[in-house]
Amino acid sequence: MSRALAVALLSVMFFIGAQHAVRAADATPDGCAALRKHGKAAEAQACYQKLSQQGDPYLRAEGYWGLGMYRDANDQFRLAVAQSDGNALARVRWGRLLHERFNNADAESLFKEALQRDPKNAQAYLGLALVSADGFDNAAIQWNEKALELDPKFVQAHELMANLALEDSDTAAALKQADQAIGLSSDALDGMAIHAAAEVLADRSPDDWFDKIRRVNPSYGEAYALVAHHLVLNRRYQDGIAYYRKAVELDPELWSARSELGINLMRLGQEDEARRELELCYANGFRDAATVNSLRLLDSYKNFVTFKDGTLILKLQKKEADLLRPYFETVAKQAMATYEKKYKFKLPGPVQVEVYPDHEDFAVRTLGMPGLGALGVTFGAVVAMDSPSGRKAGDFNWASTLWHEMSHVYILTMTNHRVPRWFAEGLAVHEETQASPEWGDRVTPEILVAIRDKKLLPVTDLDRGFVRPEYEAQVIVSYYQAGRICDYIQGRWGADKLLEMAHSFAKVEPTVDVIQQDLGISAGDFDHQFLAWLDADVGKTAANFDQWHKGLKDLAQAAKEHHNEEVIADGQQIRVLYPDYVYDANPYEFLAGAYQAQGNKKEAAAVLTDYEKRGGHDPDTLKELASLEEELGSPGEAAATLDRINDIYPHDEQLHRKLGELWLAQSNFPGAIREYSAVLATHPIDVTSARFELAQAYWAAGQKDKAKENVLEALESAPDYRPAQKLLLQLEDDDKGK
Ligand SMILES: [Zn+2]
């Protein structure tokens, strides 16, 4: 028997005795809900008990739902709908039950069916808004507006609107909606909670509002959970956890809050407590995707290994740990040294970096967070990110991603998590290109189209572009815009100005004031001047977009038909129209192919070097460039090109063999040792030659013990391997010679 069922049965037994408390006539769904809302748990329970015994299946459904007997409630709703096809109410309420029980797909269908039967059903529109709000879908606002249009006195719709506005950092609009709800109803508890959240976000005391809430319902944990939700959304994870704790303290069976508590503890690396909370939710039937997947992820941690020192905790999956560790450690430490100096701030403790080869595992880390398909995410001093092996080779530059996330670690820690999203993201994007002009995302076609169509948001509204996009590409457009804003500020006012702004934001000053104070211009003027600057940089490319797009199509066709002369003539022109286009089917690759076909290696190398400098990161294309560079007598350039691939996709045995060979020949012994070690870490079929090559690198570096160790390993797997026998003899002769 499930715990929920046991609780339900117990309460049935208890309330048979307490039936006199509620007369049959009192038992209406609204009446029961009001009792619960006012914290009268026992009376509410008795009320729902009554409902569950009514003849009308719809009323029975409400009763079972109130008693937490979800399956019975579901059955009764099904019956109610079957008995009366025109019944919109039963459909709306059934949808709400399913929404509450993690089935948004069927909930949405029911709300839509209800609207077919009753096109003016405000409750059905609210239902659709709630479903959309779960995924930070902009449609939530439109559905909710419909609900309010039909019923301007709809308290819950005003409360939802307030919540959506606060999620978008539009505090003024949020408070206005909350006040409307409070004006309409003395028990608009969520409206009051919005006020409390706004106070907490501004670092003021929310006590007055919580007093008001307590007077209506002393155990209304939802109010604290609502505040916690907004804290987490503003990346104030510790504070969010504290509020979730208060929520479950007041209402221990508020499973949604307990699950969030567990998830946020997990985010901060407090895994034992996280597991306890999540298991408690699971055992009590609260099994939404976030709870179940988080528990699964906690289980999978046994497949990870952790490397720790005073400043870095690196958590890697066992199978790829040996391969990735040296590269990740190097980049993480470089990033930390850079930021420590640049931001004039030393972290109080180590940073934890978790690298997930299974993208689904990483995705669990971002469940319930806004934004689409990110590569990395930072929770205070914990960074979780995709492993390069979790995506298609060349999909992203992991070193650039790690550099980005490390900026968040510093900025969030040093401002006590009080920077707006646009600034944190913009600065992190800006830092990627500061570290290397080849890093960071280029201006993509959808960004160019947004610039051309004048869809960039004013800086004071930019947060909304990250949280609730109005068009599909708005999240990446917003990343780009925020990054360029930081480029612009650094260029015009100097790098320290960005730091000054971070410190101003830390005092919880809004964007509009920070820009006025620190930059000395109004936010409106800032937008104007920034857009003019951006236009000078990419305006022409944006204007060229259609011409480029058509030209690229023709170019691809010409390349397919091997019309090399045409590819070269047109390709050079098309590339100039939009030089940052280094993605699929780019002119650089078509041009290089045409030059190669004509035997013109020099031009092929030149065009691919340009591709490399523009941040092109397809591993095969970069390897092609490296071979050309080697053939043209520049082994140093070839090695540098191959080393770039380590930042992109190090899961490549041949890459490490070739780079090891080049570096050994160039007397870069530490580099050669690292690369031949990486060959071994890829678990090659030919272990013998890998060991032997590593032994050679150690020998060349003067590390004879290591050389001997590896040459003996090589001979163990292949005793007749002549080059290894020879090297062992040399090593032994060398010893004697001493
Ligand atoms: Zn970021």
mmCIF file of all heavy atoms in Angstrom, residues 601-641:
data_model
loop_
_atom_site.group_PDB
_atom_site.id
_atom_site.type_symbol
_atom_site.label_atom_id
_atom_site.label_comp_id
_atom_site.label_asym_id
_atom_site.label_seq_id
_atom_site.Cartn_x
_atom_site.Cartn_y
_atom_site.Cartn_z
ATOM 1 N N LYS A 601 47.775 24.280 -52.990
ATOM 2 C CA LYS A 601 47.776 24.062 -51.545
ATOM 3 C C LYS A 601 47.921 25.364 -50.768
ATOM 4 O O LYS A 601 47.376 25.537 -49.685
ATOM 5 C CB LYS A 601 48.901 23.104 -51.153
ATOM 6 C CG LYS A 601 48.668 21.687 -51.625
ATOM 7 C CD LYS A 601 49.797 20.785 -51.172
ATOM 8 C CE LYS A 601 49.800 19.448 -51.900
ATOM 9 N NZ LYS A 601 48.644 18.613 -51.681
ATOM 10 N N LYS A 602 48.689 26.266 -51.339
ATOM 11 C CA LYS A 602 48.948 27.513 -50.622
ATOM 12 C C LYS A 602 47.669 28.312 -50.390
ATOM 13 O O LYS A 602 47.394 28.773 -49.280
ATOM 14 C CB LYS A 602 49.952 28.363 -51.419
ATOM 15 C CG LYS A 602 51.155 28.740 -50.578
ATOM 16 C CD LYS A 602 52.152 29.546 -51.346
ATOM 17 C CE LYS A 602 52.323 30.881 -50.634
ATOM 18 N NZ LYS A 602 52.900 31.903 -51.479
ATOM 19 N N GLU A 603 46.878 28.427 -51.462
ATOM 20 C CA GLU A 603 45.617 29.168 -51.323
ATOM 21 C C GLU A 603 44.630 28.419 -50.429
ATOM 22 O O GLU A 603 43.893 29.028 -49.654
ATOM 23 C CB GLU A 603 44.984 29.424 -52.703
ATOM 24 C CG GLU A 603 45.615 30.578 -53.458
ATOM 25 C CD GLU A 603 45.569 31.904 -52.692
ATOM 26 O OE1 GLU A 603 44.559 32.184 -52.020
ATOM 27 O OE2 GLU A 603 46.566 32.654 -52.752
ATOM 28 N N ALA A 604 44.643 27.081 -50.555
ATOM 29 C CA ALA A 604 43.748 26.281 -49.703
ATOM 30 C C ALA A 604 44.104 26.524 -48.239
ATOM 31 O O ALA A 604 43.230 26.727 -47.389
ATOM 32 C CB ALA A 604 43.867 24.804 -50.047
ATOM 33 N N ALA A 605 45.404 26.523 -47.936
ATOM 34 C CA ALA A 605 45.835 26.744 -46.547
ATOM 35 C C ALA A 605 45.466 28.152 -46.092
ATOM 36 O O ALA A 605 45.026 28.354 -44.954
ATOM 37 C CB ALA A 605 47.341 26.512 -46.421
ATOM 38 N N ALA A 606 45.618 29.130 -46.992
ATOM 39 C CA ALA A 606 45.329 30.518 -46.612
ATOM 40 C C ALA A 606 43.855 30.676 -46.241
ATOM 41 O O ALA A 606 43.515 31.311 -45.231
ATOM 42 C CB ALA A 606 45.695 31.458 -47.758
ATOM 43 N N VAL A 607 42.999 30.074 -47.051
ATOM 44 C CA VAL A 607 41.567 30.254 -46.793
ATOM 45 C C VAL A 607 41.161 29.517 -45.509
ATOM 46 O O VAL A 607 40.339 30.000 -44.712
ATOM 47 C CB VAL A 607 40.728 29.859 -48.034
ATOM 48 C CG1 VAL A 607 40.531 28.367 -48.137
ATOM 49 C CG2 VAL A 607 39.399 30.564 -48.039
ATOM 50 N N LEU A 608 41.779 28.372 -45.261
ATOM 51 C CA LEU A 608 41.440 27.642 -44.034
ATOM 52 C C LEU A 608 42.042 28.304 -42.790
ATOM 53 O O LEU A 608 41.479 28.208 -41.693
ATOM 54 C CB LEU A 608 41.882 26.181 -44.142
ATOM 55 C CG LEU A 608 41.065 25.340 -45.135
ATOM 56 C CD1 LEU A 608 41.557 23.891 -45.155
ATOM 57 C CD2 LEU A 608 39.563 25.384 -44.822
ATOM 58 N N THR A 609 43.167 28.979 -42.971
ATOM 59 C CA THR A 609 43.711 29.736 -41.839
ATOM 60 C C THR A 609 42.742 30.848 -41.440
ATOM 61 O O THR A 609 42.521 31.112 -40.252
ATOM 62 C CB THR A 609 45.079 30.346 -42.218
ATOM 63 O OG1 THR A 609 45.943 29.279 -42.602
ATOM 64 C CG2 THR A 609 45.710 31.094 -41.052
ATOM 65 N N ASP A 610 42.155 31.451 -42.461
ATOM 66 C CA ASP A 610 41.160 32.487 -42.193
ATOM 67 C C ASP A 610 39.966 31.883 -41.434
ATOM 68 O O ASP A 610 39.464 32.444 -40.452
ATOM 69 C CB ASP A 610 40.706 33.102 -43.525
ATOM 70 C CG ASP A 610 40.114 34.489 -43.336
ATOM 71 O OD1 ASP A 610 40.207 35.021 -42.216
ATOM 72 O OD2 ASP A 610 39.541 35.016 -44.309
ATOM 73 N N TYR A 611 39.556 30.702 -41.883
ATOM 74 C CA TYR A 611 38.467 29.976 -41.217
ATOM 75 C C TYR A 611 38.807 29.742 -39.742
ATOM 76 O O TYR A 611 37.987 29.974 -38.846
ATOM 77 C CB TYR A 611 38.278 28.644 -41.950
ATOM 78 C CG TYR A 611 37.433 27.606 -41.251
ATOM 79 C CD1 TYR A 611 36.047 27.635 -41.329
ATOM 80 C CD2 TYR A 611 38.029 26.557 -40.534
ATOM 81 C CE1 TYR A 611 35.272 26.663 -40.707
ATOM 82 C CE2 TYR A 611 37.266 25.582 -39.910
ATOM 83 C CZ TYR A 611 35.888 25.640 -39.998
ATOM 84 O OH TYR A 611 35.130 24.676 -39.381
ATOM 85 N N GLU A 612 40.029 29.313 -39.506
ATOM 86 C CA GLU A 612 40.490 29.038 -38.141
ATOM 87 C C GLU A 612 40.458 30.315 -37.292
ATOM 88 O O GLU A 612 39.961 30.327 -36.166
ATOM 89 C CB GLU A 612 41.910 28.480 -38.223
ATOM 90 C CG GLU A 612 42.599 28.193 -36.917
ATOM 91 C CD GLU A 612 44.053 27.774 -37.176
ATOM 92 O OE1 GLU A 612 44.855 28.596 -37.683
ATOM 93 O OE2 GLU A 612 44.371 26.617 -36.884
ATOM 94 N N LYS A 613 40.939 31.401 -37.857
ATOM 95 C CA LYS A 613 40.991 32.669 -37.117
ATOM 96 C C LYS A 613 39.591 33.209 -36.810
ATOM 97 O O LYS A 613 39.383 33.922 -35.836
ATOM 98 C CB LYS A 613 41.756 33.738 -37.909
ATOM 99 C CG LYS A 613 43.194 33.374 -38.190
ATOM 100 C CD LYS A 613 44.137 33.949 -37.130
ATOM 101 C CE LYS A 613 45.573 33.474 -37.318
ATOM 102 N NZ LYS A 613 45.798 32.099 -36.761
ATOM 103 N N ARG A 614 38.645 32.847 -37.672
ATOM 104 C CA ARG A 614 37.260 33.282 -37.453
ATOM 105 C C ARG A 614 36.533 32.375 -36.469
ATOM 106 O O ARG A 614 35.329 32.505 -36.285
ATOM 107 C CB ARG A 614 36.490 33.277 -38.771
ATOM 108 C CG ARG A 614 37.002 34.252 -39.777
ATOM 109 C CD ARG A 614 36.248 35.554 -39.663
ATOM 110 N NE ARG A 614 36.879 36.574 -40.487
ATOM 111 C CZ ARG A 614 36.613 37.866 -40.367
ATOM 112 N NH1 ARG A 614 35.754 38.289 -39.467
ATOM 113 N NH2 ARG A 614 37.219 38.739 -41.129
ATOM 114 N N GLY A 615 37.263 31.411 -35.913
ATOM 115 C CA GLY A 615 36.633 30.550 -34.915
ATOM 116 C C GLY A 615 35.975 29.316 -35.495
ATOM 117 O O GLY A 615 35.197 28.650 -34.812
ATOM 118 N N GLY A 616 36.272 28.976 -36.756
ATOM 119 C CA GLY A 616 35.737 27.733 -37.328
ATOM 120 C C GLY A 616 36.195 26.564 -36.469
ATOM 121 O O GLY A 616 37.362 26.506 -36.100
ATOM 122 N N HIS A 617 35.292 25.646 -36.143
ATOM 123 C CA HIS A 617 35.736 24.582 -35.249
ATOM 124 C C HIS A 617 35.306 23.184 -35.674
ATOM 125 O O HIS A 617 35.062 22.326 -34.837
ATOM 126 C CB HIS A 617 35.382 24.884 -33.788
ATOM 127 C CG HIS A 617 33.954 25.256 -33.538
ATOM 128 N ND1 HIS A 617 33.591 26.239 -32.666
ATOM 129 C CD2 HIS A 617 32.814 24.776 -34.050
ATOM 130 C CE1 HIS A 617 32.275 26.340 -32.646
ATOM 131 N NE2 HIS A 617 31.783 25.468 -33.463
ATOM 132 N N ASP A 618 35.271 22.962 -36.957
ATOM 133 C CA ASP A 618 35.039 21.593 -37.411
ATOM 134 C C ASP A 618 36.372 20.833 -37.367
ATOM 135 O O ASP A 618 37.334 21.219 -38.030
ATOM 136 C CB ASP A 618 34.497 21.598 -38.845
ATOM 137 C CG ASP A 618 34.299 20.184 -39.345
ATOM 138 O OD1 ASP A 618 33.427 19.498 -38.797
ATOM 139 O OD2 ASP A 618 35.044 19.752 -40.243
ATOM 140 N N PRO A 619 36.457 19.752 -36.587
ATOM 141 C CA PRO A 619 37.750 19.080 -36.409
ATOM 142 C C PRO A 619 38.353 18.584 -37.723
ATOM 143 O O PRO A 619 39.564 18.700 -37.928
ATOM 144 C CB PRO A 619 37.424 17.904 -35.481
ATOM 145 C CG PRO A 619 36.189 18.307 -34.756
ATOM 146 C CD PRO A 619 35.412 19.156 -35.714
ATOM 147 N N ASP A 620 37.512 18.051 -38.622
ATOM 148 C CA ASP A 620 38.083 17.526 -39.868
ATOM 149 C C ASP A 620 38.679 18.642 -40.721
ATOM 150 O O ASP A 620 39.721 18.471 -41.345
ATOM 151 C CB ASP A 620 37.006 16.772 -40.669
ATOM 152 C CG ASP A 620 36.648 15.457 -39.998
ATOM 153 O OD1 ASP A 620 37.504 14.940 -39.234
ATOM 154 O OD2 ASP A 620 35.528 14.963 -40.211
ATOM 155 N N THR A 621 37.998 19.784 -40.749
ATOM 156 C CA THR A 621 38.514 20.906 -41.528
ATOM 157 C C THR A 621 39.830 21.399 -40.932
ATOM 158 O O THR A 621 40.781 21.702 -41.663
ATOM 159 C CB THR A 621 37.471 22.047 -41.554
ATOM 160 O OG1 THR A 621 36.225 21.500 -41.982
ATOM 161 C CG2 THR A 621 37.887 23.155 -42.490
ATOM 162 N N LEU A 622 39.886 21.457 -39.605
ATOM 163 C CA LEU A 622 41.134 21.902 -38.969
ATOM 164 C C LEU A 622 42.255 20.891 -39.209
ATOM 165 O O LEU A 622 43.412 21.266 -39.414
ATOM 166 C CB LEU A 622 40.910 22.132 -37.472
ATOM 167 C CG LEU A 622 40.003 23.325 -37.132
ATOM 168 C CD1 LEU A 622 39.703 23.378 -35.640
ATOM 169 C CD2 LEU A 622 40.623 24.652 -37.590
ATOM 170 N N LYS A 623 41.912 19.604 -39.234
ATOM 171 C CA LYS A 623 42.942 18.596 -39.521
ATOM 172 C C LYS A 623 43.464 18.750 -40.946
ATOM 173 O O LYS A 623 44.652 18.576 -41.206
ATOM 174 C CB LYS A 623 42.372 17.187 -39.317
ATOM 175 C CG LYS A 623 42.352 16.761 -37.863
ATOM 176 C CD LYS A 623 42.243 15.245 -37.802
ATOM 177 C CE LYS A 623 41.167 14.817 -36.863
ATOM 178 N NZ LYS A 623 40.865 13.400 -36.898
ATOM 179 N N GLU A 624 42.550 19.077 -41.846
ATOM 180 C CA GLU A 624 42.963 19.297 -43.237
ATOM 181 C C GLU A 624 43.946 20.466 -43.292
ATOM 182 O O GLU A 624 44.985 20.394 -43.957
ATOM 183 C CB GLU A 624 41.724 19.597 -44.094
ATOM 184 C CG GLU A 624 42.025 19.708 -45.576
ATOM 185 C CD GLU A 624 40.814 20.201 -46.379
ATOM 186 O OE1 GLU A 624 39.670 20.075 -45.889
ATOM 187 O OE2 GLU A 624 41.035 20.727 -47.487
ATOM 188 N N LEU A 625 43.647 21.509 -42.549
ATOM 189 C CA LEU A 625 44.554 22.659 -42.509
ATOM 190 C C LEU A 625 45.919 22.248 -41.942
ATOM 191 O O LEU A 625 46.968 22.614 -42.486
ATOM 192 C CB LEU A 625 43.944 23.787 -41.662
ATOM 193 C CG LEU A 625 44.865 24.976 -41.370
ATOM 194 C CD1 LEU A 625 45.332 25.657 -42.659
ATOM 195 C CD2 LEU A 625 44.161 26.004 -40.470
ATOM 196 N N ALA A 626 45.902 21.444 -40.881
ATOM 197 C CA ALA A 626 47.167 21.021 -40.272
ATOM 198 C C ALA A 626 48.016 20.233 -41.270
ATOM 199 O O ALA A 626 49.227 20.441 -41.365
ATOM 200 C CB ALA A 626 46.899 20.194 -39.018
ATOM 201 N N SER A 627 47.381 19.320 -42.052
ATOM 202 C CA SER A 627 48.192 18.581 -43.031
ATOM 203 C C SER A 627 48.762 19.510 -44.071
ATOM 204 O O SER A 627 49.908 19.354 -44.490
ATOM 205 C CB SER A 627 47.424 17.489 -43.771
ATOM 206 O OG SER A 627 46.334 17.076 -43.117
ATOM 207 N N LEU A 628 47.954 20.488 -44.502
ATOM 208 C CA LEU A 628 48.465 21.446 -45.496
ATOM 209 C C LEU A 628 49.656 22.208 -44.919
ATOM 210 O O LEU A 628 50.675 22.403 -45.586
ATOM 211 C CB LEU A 628 47.361 22.431 -45.898
ATOM 212 C CG LEU A 628 46.292 21.886 -46.850
ATOM 213 C CD1 LEU A 628 45.091 22.826 -46.903
ATOM 214 C CD2 LEU A 628 46.879 21.705 -48.259
ATOM 215 N N GLU A 629 49.513 22.647 -43.678
ATOM 216 C CA GLU A 629 50.600 23.417 -43.055
ATOM 217 C C GLU A 629 51.873 22.581 -42.961
ATOM 218 O O GLU A 629 52.978 23.064 -43.214
ATOM 219 C CB GLU A 629 50.159 23.904 -41.662
ATOM 220 C CG GLU A 629 49.159 25.062 -41.751
ATOM 221 C CD GLU A 629 48.452 25.378 -40.435
ATOM 222 O OE1 GLU A 629 48.273 24.470 -39.591
ATOM 223 O OE2 GLU A 629 48.051 26.551 -40.256
ATOM 224 N N GLU A 630 51.686 21.303 -42.626
ATOM 225 C CA GLU A 630 52.863 20.434 -42.542
ATOM 226 C C GLU A 630 53.498 20.249 -43.917
ATOM 227 O O GLU A 630 54.708 20.394 -44.081
ATOM 228 C CB GLU A 630 52.468 19.085 -41.943
ATOM 229 C CG GLU A 630 53.674 18.313 -41.426
ATOM 230 C CD GLU A 630 53.318 16.902 -40.971
ATOM 231 O OE1 GLU A 630 52.127 16.521 -41.066
ATOM 232 O OE2 GLU A 630 54.238 16.186 -40.532
ATOM 233 N N GLU A 631 52.638 19.996 -44.921
ATOM 234 C CA GLU A 631 53.151 19.810 -46.284
ATOM 235 C C GLU A 631 53.859 21.056 -46.782
ATOM 236 O O GLU A 631 54.819 20.984 -47.535
ATOM 237 C CB GLU A 631 52.001 19.496 -47.247
ATOM 238 C CG GLU A 631 51.521 18.066 -47.184
ATOM 239 C CD GLU A 631 50.302 17.870 -48.088
ATOM 240 O OE1 GLU A 631 50.405 18.155 -49.296
ATOM 241 O OE2 GLU A 631 49.243 17.466 -47.559
ATOM 242 N N LEU A 632 53.359 22.217 -46.364
ATOM 243 C CA LEU A 632 53.955 23.475 -46.830
ATOM 244 C C LEU A 632 55.156 23.890 -45.976
ATOM 245 O O LEU A 632 55.649 25.006 -46.091
ATOM 246 C CB LEU A 632 52.900 24.582 -46.831
ATOM 247 C CG LEU A 632 51.763 24.396 -47.852
ATOM 248 C CD1 LEU A 632 50.628 25.373 -47.592
ATOM 249 C CD2 LEU A 632 52.275 24.556 -49.289
ATOM 250 N N GLY A 633 55.594 22.994 -45.108
ATOM 251 C CA GLY A 633 56.820 23.252 -44.362
ATOM 252 C C GLY A 633 56.643 24.090 -43.109
ATOM 253 O O GLY A 633 57.583 24.760 -42.680
ATOM 254 N N SER A 634 55.442 24.076 -42.505
ATOM 255 C CA SER A 634 55.268 24.794 -41.244
ATOM 256 C C SER A 634 54.781 23.851 -40.142
ATOM 257 O O SER A 634 53.612 23.915 -39.738
ATOM 258 C CB SER A 634 54.250 25.928 -41.391
ATOM 259 O OG SER A 634 54.549 26.726 -42.491
ATOM 260 N N PRO A 635 55.638 22.971 -39.662
ATOM 261 C CA PRO A 635 55.175 21.999 -38.664
ATOM 262 C C PRO A 635 54.723 22.674 -37.363
ATOM 263 O O PRO A 635 53.845 22.151 -36.670
ATOM 264 C CB PRO A 635 56.397 21.111 -38.417
ATOM 265 C CG PRO A 635 57.567 21.907 -38.888
ATOM 266 C CD PRO A 635 57.070 22.805 -39.979
ATOM 267 N N GLY A 636 55.291 23.827 -37.050
ATOM 268 C CA GLY A 636 54.875 24.549 -35.835
ATOM 269 C C GLY A 636 53.417 24.986 -35.943
ATOM 270 O O GLY A 636 52.622 24.815 -35.017
ATOM 271 N N GLU A 637 53.070 25.540 -37.121
ATOM 272 C CA GLU A 637 51.685 25.945 -37.349
ATOM 273 C C GLU A 637 50.762 24.724 -37.310
ATOM 274 O O GLU A 637 49.652 24.794 -36.764
ATOM 275 C CB GLU A 637 51.551 26.585 -38.746
ATOM 276 C CG GLU A 637 52.410 27.803 -38.963
ATOM 277 C CD GLU A 637 51.764 29.046 -38.376
ATOM 278 O OE1 GLU A 637 50.539 29.166 -38.511
ATOM 279 O OE2 GLU A 637 52.488 29.862 -37.770
ATOM 280 N N ALA A 638 51.243 23.642 -37.913
ATOM 281 C CA ALA A 638 50.420 22.422 -37.959
ATOM 282 C C ALA A 638 50.111 21.957 -36.538
ATOM 283 O O ALA A 638 48.965 21.615 -36.218
ATOM 284 C CB ALA A 638 51.146 21.326 -38.734
ATOM 285 N N ALA A 639 51.137 21.971 -35.682
ATOM 286 C CA ALA A 639 50.930 21.521 -34.301
ATOM 287 C C ALA A 639 49.953 22.452 -33.583
ATOM 288 O O ALA A 639 49.056 22.004 -32.864
ATOM 289 C CB ALA A 639 52.264 21.469 -33.560
ATOM 290 N N ALA A 640 50.097 23.767 -33.793
ATOM 291 C CA ALA A 640 49.208 24.727 -33.129
ATOM 292 C C ALA A 640 47.762 24.508 -33.568
ATOM 293 O O ALA A 640 46.829 24.590 -32.763
ATOM 294 C CB ALA A 640 49.653 26.154 -33.435
ATOM 295 N N THR A 641 47.594 24.206 -34.872
ATOM 296 C CA THR A 641 46.234 23.949 -35.365
ATOM 297 C C THR A 641 45.646 22.703 -34.707
ATOM 298 O O THR A 641 44.506 22.704 -34.245
ATOM 299 C CB THR A 641 46.257 23.788 -36.893
ATOM 300 O OG1 THR A 641 46.676 25.032 -37.460
ATOM 301 C CG2 THR A 641 44.890 23.437 -37.444
#
